[in-house]
Amino acid sequence: MFRLKYITLYVLTILLMIVGGIFLKEDFFPFFRWWLSVFVLGILFLPLTRKMFSSYHDGGYLFSKVIGIASSGYLMWLLSSLKILKFTEVSCYIVLAGCLIINGILFLKSKKEEKMTLLDSDHVFPMIAEEVLFLFIFLIWAYIRGFRPEAHGTEKFMDYGFMAAMMRGDYMPPKDLWFSGSTINYYYVGQYMSAFLTKLSLNSVNVGYNLMLTMLAALSFMLPYSLVYNITKNRFGEKYLNPKWIPRMAGILSGAGVSLAGNLHFTLYYWVVPTIRKILGIEGDFADYWFPNSTRYIGYNPETADKTIHEFPGYSFVLGDLHAHVINIVFVLTLLGILFAWLLYQKRRLDNREAQGFQIKQEILNPFIISIGFFIGLFHTTNFWDFPIYYVVAGGVILFFNGVIYEFRLKTLLITGLQGVFIITLSELISLPFTLNFDQISTEIMLTEAHTPLYQLLILWGLPVILIIGFLYELAGSTKYKSQDDNPKFILFRFLNSLSPSDLYILVLGLCAIGLIIMPEVIYVKDIYSGDYKRANTMFKLTYQAFIMFGICSGYIFMKFKKLHHFNWQKTFANITLFLFLTTFWYPVVSVKAWYIKDKSFKDYKGLDAAEFLNSADNQEDYRAINWLNNNIKGTPVILEAHGDSYTDYGRVSVFTGLPTVLGWYVHEWLWRGDTDIVNKRAADIETIYTSTDQELVQTLIDKYEIEYIYVGKLERVKYNSLNSDLLKRLGRIVYTGSEDINDTYIIQIEPKG
């Protein structure tokens, strides 16, 4: 029976590979190299991961993948930032070899029983099973993405361009492809991690963009699955875990809740409202639900002067932007996994308190606290909003369990304070190479003027908030107090002390998520988005993380309420809320059909090349010219092209070559630079170069921006009606023409002085 389980998994793996080869076609080998690279990273970092995740059923196998990506990627980034190693494929493998040595030493120095767990069937079988499931989900998302692989629309130009610039450059920070002569002034390290994996897997950025996105979608299911599986299993234990599928079901619900589910706006407007209208005889195709509506509700339906954004991971994976908040999901989930592993570690120490004791040094200088500091520091470089959010979340988990350990005496605050100082200090050191080259975009906090109508809050977040309140009510009601428990501190201690690590962890996450929902109703961070949109970005970044935390909490709470019934209302409460929760799982089906598969058949699979869309009748000239630049231009010389508004096709040459241009998307650079004057100055200079008849003035501006190539194509002709073609051609030699008509698309190489 035991061997049969292993054989089944091996057969499934082979079948998945065969099916993947059939459906992904020529994309299968880039896919396989990517999967293999991540697989090797996960195995490589198991000795380090198991130091923290020894209490997990799989030894933290899934988290080892992300720890491997984050650790090796950060080391490569650091060495490149310090100009010690160039960011090349060879350097990536040198770093990987160094990581192998470090983890090898950790393995050799570990205890014999720790070494044996790496080969223990109780750990190995879950690892293989999870790898098969991860591969399956990864393949599905990759295949879906193949129906719309283009890096075109919304933020995709920026995300792809960041990767292309890093793939071409030698050192960090990367040159700003849309502001030549400067480095990227944005949280780019997430896209850097994408470029790092692209180099490591020997792929091109064309497919690396989509493979990173689809891998994130797969891990965003698998990591919550593993975390909540272990949270649930720890709560009930082997003795009381009957039926055995409860942890697995809890993990599946949370995995889907984080990575796939929509919100109740979808349920209401996709099912409920159309059904009511049909019953009432109102005409119209009300079931034609446009999936972004779930993320643009407040301020849009009905139309008001307070337009907000409330996206969530499922929407992000369908949309396909490889943006900072999307990439950081897996790092956030890993931090949350480490926090729960720390709780289990502390609980073991607490149970053996007399034998071990609690030392201040041991409380601070341990792998958990160091790892928390590392990831929070990483957030400062990948998605800054997650930096303060998860510093508070980590602080909440640590504070409350320290309260249990030290019975809320003064030592509780002392230890927690020291840990907090250590974490923030370490995080600042981790992010220092980034912050030294970064100008803060926005820091001013304002009081909110507009507020969300209560009914819209209930539609968007009522279900998870009610679920957390019900969970808190159940915990409070099942705690026994004595009559003398009138001291609030003592009551809090007794309450927290009565909780299992699982209950405490879920409670803190749930309360933090509710806090993130409330905050945009009180304050917002001032940025360039003003007027109707001034609190849009604040709500977006805060509620996005709330959605993730709610998703993690949901699977555990549902299964706990199904398993334990302290009160009569729990079963009905769980059934109703679970039903509503499950209705949101249809969101990705509707979204994928609308965005990828609508009116298409299986033969319409396009592949995973994010730049291939340029090879169309409308973009043929740009496609050929960009390919010529990629094949013939080395290094990062400045190329001039027309600038334009954000979310347009302007900037396409710099995006798909990684070559810096004088100015790209206007609003994005305004946001990153915080100054319209310098952006407007560049815009005016570009127009002068393309339209002026004063050759000396044009040459002066070319020298000013160190322009080596000038690109003239369709968009340049559209933007600049009085294009000075003859003057431009006199400035250098034409190195590329796109057709027999030299005036269609051409590239001029500026003659060097002297």
Side-chain angles (χ1 to χ4, degrees):
M1 185 66 182
F2 179 74
R3 287 185 177 180
L4 182 61
K5 291 197 300 184
Y6 277 94
I7 292 172
T8 302
L9 290 178
Y10 294 144
V11 170
L12 280 174
T13 303
I14 294 171
L15 287 175
L16 283 175
M17 292 295 182
I18 294 172
V19 171
I22 294 172
F23 282 89
L24 296 185
K25 302 175 183 177
E26 65 271 13
D27 295 317
F28 177 73
F29 289 107
F31 172 90
F32 179 78
R33 290 196 300 270
W34 189 284
W35 168 81
L36 184 62
S37 299
V38 175
F39 174 78
V40 170
L41 277 172
I43 297 297
L44 191 64
F45 276 82
L46 272 178
L48 175 61
T49 303
R50 284 184 180 271
K51 291 286 183 183
M52 295 179 288
F53 291 85
S54 59
S55 296
Y56 276 46
H57 77 295
D58 59 353
Y61 173 71
L62 290 167
F63 293 97
S64 188
K65 294 178 183 291
V66 184
I67 290 172
I69 294 169
S71 300
S72 58
Y74 175 82
L75 183 57
M76 180 68 255
W77 174 79
L78 178 63
L79 293 172
S80 179
S81 298
L82 297 175
K83 307 296 187 288
I84 295 173
L85 279 180
K86 290 184 177 181
F87 182 40
T88 64
E89 286 88 352
V90 173
S91 297
C92 291
Y93 280 98
I94 291 172
V95 167
L96 202 64
C99 293
L100 173 62
I101 293 171
I102 293 170
N103 278 275
I105 293 171
L106 285 175
F107 176 74
L108 293 173
K109 287 190 172 183
S110 59
K111 298 177 182 178
K112 184 178 179 180
E113 55 269 22
E114 291 178 356
K115 294 176 184 176
M116 293 304 297
T117 58
L118 288 171
L119 302 174
D120 190 340
S121 61
D122 290 338
H123 289 89
V124 171
F125 182 78
M127 287 165 52
I128 299 174
E130 288 171 346
E131 187 64 50
V132 172
L133 183 57
F134 166 70
L135 177 61
F136 173 67
I137 298 172
F138 190 9
L139 276 168
I140 289 177
W141 273 111
Y143 180 66
I144 291 172
R145 185 66 187 159
F147 285 87
R148 192 170 186 153
E150 57 266 23
H152 186 241
T154 54
E155 299 285 359
K156 297 179 186 65
F157 259 31
M158 173 198 141
D159 301 324
Y160 185 100
F162 276 15
M163 286 184 65
M166 294 171 205
M167 293 291 287
R168 182 179 282 275
D170 290 332
Y171 297 107
M172 299 293 124
K175 293 183 178 181
D176 190 340
L177 71 159
W178 284 339
F179 207 82
S180 62
S182 183
T183 56
I184 294 175
N185 197 58
Y186 192 67
Y187 308 102
Y188 67 82
V189 176
Q191 284 86 3
Y192 156 79
M193 292 291 182
S194 307
F196 171 72
L197 283 176
T198 301
K199 284 183 179 288
L200 201 63
S201 60
L202 302 178
N203 280 312
S204 68
V205 65
N206 300 44
V207 295
Y209 178 94
N210 284 317
L211 288 171
M212 183 67 175
L213 180 70
T214 52
M215 181 197 72
L216 292 172
L219 284 174
S220 294
F221 179 93
M222 295 304 302
L223 295 177
Y225 168 83
S226 177
L227 173 58
V228 177
Y229 181 103
N230 285 284
I231 292 172
T232 309
K233 187 173 182 179
N234 179 266
R235 173 61 179 84
F236 297 110
E238 294 290 348
K239 184 176 180 181
Y240 300 101
L241 200 54
N242 187 27
K244 300 283 187 182
W245 51 261
I246 284 180
R248 192 169 293 111
M249 181 55 66
I252 290 172
L253 288 173
S254 286
V258 170
S259 67
L260 299 176
N263 51 36
L264 279 186
H265 179 280
F266 168 76
T267 301
L268 180 65
Y269 287 94
Y270 181 76
W271 273 313
V272 178
V273 171
T275 301
I276 292 174
R277 287 177 171 175
K278 285 181 181 179
I279 292 173
L280 296 177
I282 301 174
E283 296 182 357
D285 187 10
F286 302 109
D288 189 17
Y289 184 87
W290 183 230
F291 72 98
N293 292 350
S294 288
T295 72
R296 304 294 192 278
Y297 179 39
I298 302 169
Y300 295 89
N301 184 20
E303 191 89 11
T304 71
D306 177 39
K307 293 177 172 56
T308 68
I309 304 172
H310 35 81
E311 297 180 8
F312 44 85
Y315 168 79
S316 300
F317 297 137
V318 172
L319 185 67
D321 288 0
L322 195 59
H323 220 36
H325 63 280
V326 179
I327 299 171
N328 213 45
I329 292 173
V330 295
F331 300 130
V332 160
L333 291 170
T334 301
L335 173 68
L336 293 175
I338 292 169
L339 275 172
F340 185 67
W342 175 84
L343 271 181
L344 298 182
Y345 167 76
Q346 291 292 81
K347 183 64 168 63
R348 287 199 308 271
R349 293 179 66 207
L350 182 62
D351 292 341
N352 299 318
R353 191 168 190 168
E354 292 181 1
Q356 295 183 15
F358 283 84
Q359 303 295 325
I360 292 180
K361 182 179 178 181
Q362 191 176 7
E363 292 285 358
I364 298 171
L365 298 178
N366 63 65
F368 304 94
I369 300 299
I370 293 171
S371 297
I372 291 168
F374 168 76
F375 274 99
I376 289 178
L378 190 64
F379 298 169
H380 202 150
T381 71
T382 54
N383 190 36
F384 180 78
W385 284 83
D386 295 346
F387 173 71
I389 289 172
Y390 285 97
Y391 183 70
V392 173
V393 171
V397 172
I398 292 170
L399 173 63
F400 284 122
F401 203 74
N402 280 346
V404 172
I405 294 172
Y406 298 108
E407 301 177 357
F408 281 94
R409 297 192 301 269
L410 183 60
K411 198 172 183 181
T412 300
L413 297 178
L414 174 63
I415 294 295
T416 306
L418 289 173
Q419 290 170 326
V421 170
F422 177 81
I423 288 171
I424 198 70
T425 302
L426 179 59
S427 69
E428 292 293 343
L429 288 173
I430 291 295
S431 61
L432 188 60
F434 175 85
T435 55
L436 287 175
N437 296 283
F438 179 77
D439 293 326
Q440 190 67 37
I441 295 173
S442 178
T443 55
E444 190 175 359
I445 297 177
M446 309 289 289
L447 288 175
T448 301
E449 299 168 8
H451 303 282
T452 308
L454 181 60
Y455 78 92
Q456 290 186 325
L457 282 175
L458 289 174
I459 289 171
L460 292 176
W461 297 294
L463 174 61
V465 169
I466 289 171
L467 191 64
I468 298 300
I469 292 173
F471 179 64
L472 176 60
Y473 184 77
E474 183 267 341
L475 291 177
S478 60
T479 302
K480 306 299 181 182
Y481 298 101
K482 296 180 181 179
S483 58
Q484 67 267 28
D485 291 348
D486 54 355
N487 186 323
K489 184 179 80 169
F490 192 69
I491 292 174
L492 179 62
F493 168 70
R494 281 188 58 82
F495 172 65
L496 294 176
N497 194 44
S498 69
L499 302 181
S500 68
S502 298
D503 286 335
L504 176 63
Y505 179 84
I506 292 297
L507 178 61
V508 173
L509 251 59
L511 294 178
C512 286
I514 292 174
L516 293 175
I517 298 299
I518 295 172
M519 281 185 68
E521 305 301 321
V522 181
I523 59 173
Y524 71 95
V525 176
K526 185 178 179 181
D527 50 32
I528 69 168
Y529 303 112
S530 57
D532 294 357
Y533 302 90
K534 55 179 166 286
R535 73 178 183 129
N537 199 41
T538 301
M539 180 175 285
F540 166 35
K541 296 299 173 58
L542 295 180
T543 61
Y544 199 90
Q545 299 308 317
F547 192 97
I548 291 173
M549 286 186 263
F550 280 140
I552 290 171
C553 294
S554 59
Y556 174 77
I557 295 174
F558 286 133
M559 287 300 100
K560 184 187 178 187
F561 277 24
K562 287 286 187 180
K563 174 70 176 175
L564 301 176
H565 305 298
H566 291 118
F567 305 100
N568 294 330
W569 57 267
Q570 280 183 258
K571 187 174 182 180
T572 302
F573 177 84
N575 288 337
I576 293 173
T577 52
L578 179 58
F579 171 77
L580 291 173
F581 184 66
L582 291 175
T583 62
T584 68
F585 286 11
W586 197 246
Y587 175 83
V589 177
V590 173
S591 304
V592 166
K593 183 179 179 181
W595 195 239
Y596 289 97
I597 315 295
K598 190 175 183 179
D599 300 326
K600 292 181 180 180
S601 65
F602 290 125
K603 63 183 180 182
D604 293 318
Y605 175 85
K606 297 178 181 178
L608 294 176
D609 190 331
E612 183 63 23
F613 77 97
L614 290 170
N615 190 14
S616 63
D618 292 337
N619 301 305
Q620 191 64 227
E621 290 295 333
D622 283 339
Y623 177 76
R624 292 172 181 169
I626 287 170
N627 279 344
W628 183 89
L629 287 166
N630 281 326
N631 293 330
N632 293 276
I633 306 301
K634 305 299 180 183
T636 55
V638 177
I639 184 167
L640 182 69
E641 63 176 320
H643 77 92
D645 292 333
S646 296
Y647 312 113
T648 66
D649 285 351
Y650 286 99
R652 80 281 191 202
V653 179
S654 49
V655 165
F656 291 101
T657 63
L659 295 171
T661 192
V662 177
L663 181 63
W665 280 3
Y666 180 92
V667 175
H668 279 62
E669 285 299 342
W670 171 21
L671 170 65
W672 300 340
R673 305 297 158 185
D675 185 354
T676 55
D677 289 341
I678 60 173
V679 178
N680 289 334
K681 177 62 176 170
R682 289 197 173 212
D685 288 345
I686 294 171
E687 183 174 5
T688 298
I689 294 173
Y690 275 115
T691 62
S692 176
T693 57
D694 186 338
Q695 183 168 336
E696 184 177 349
L697 174 59
V698 171
Q699 185 66 58
T700 299
L701 292 175
I702 288 173
D703 294 341
K704 175 183 176 181
Y705 294 109
E706 299 180 345
I707 297 168
E708 295 187 40
Y709 295 89
I710 296 178
Y711 187 96
V712 178
K714 178 175 64 176
L715 293 185
E716 284 70 31
R717 298 182 188 285
V718 169
K719 192 173 185 69
Y720 306 113
N721 292 325
S722 55
L723 190 73
N724 54 0
S725 295
D726 292 337
L727 186 152
L728 292 177
K729 292 171 186 175
R730 291 199 300 269
L731 297 173
R733 64 187 183 94
I734 297 174
V735 292
Y736 172 84
T737 57
S739 65
E740 293 181 1
D741 182 2
I742 193 172
N743 292 313
D744 191 358
T745 295
Y746 58 91
I747 300 170
I748 299 169
Q749 183 179 17
I750 302 300
E751 292 290 350
K753 285 188 176 182

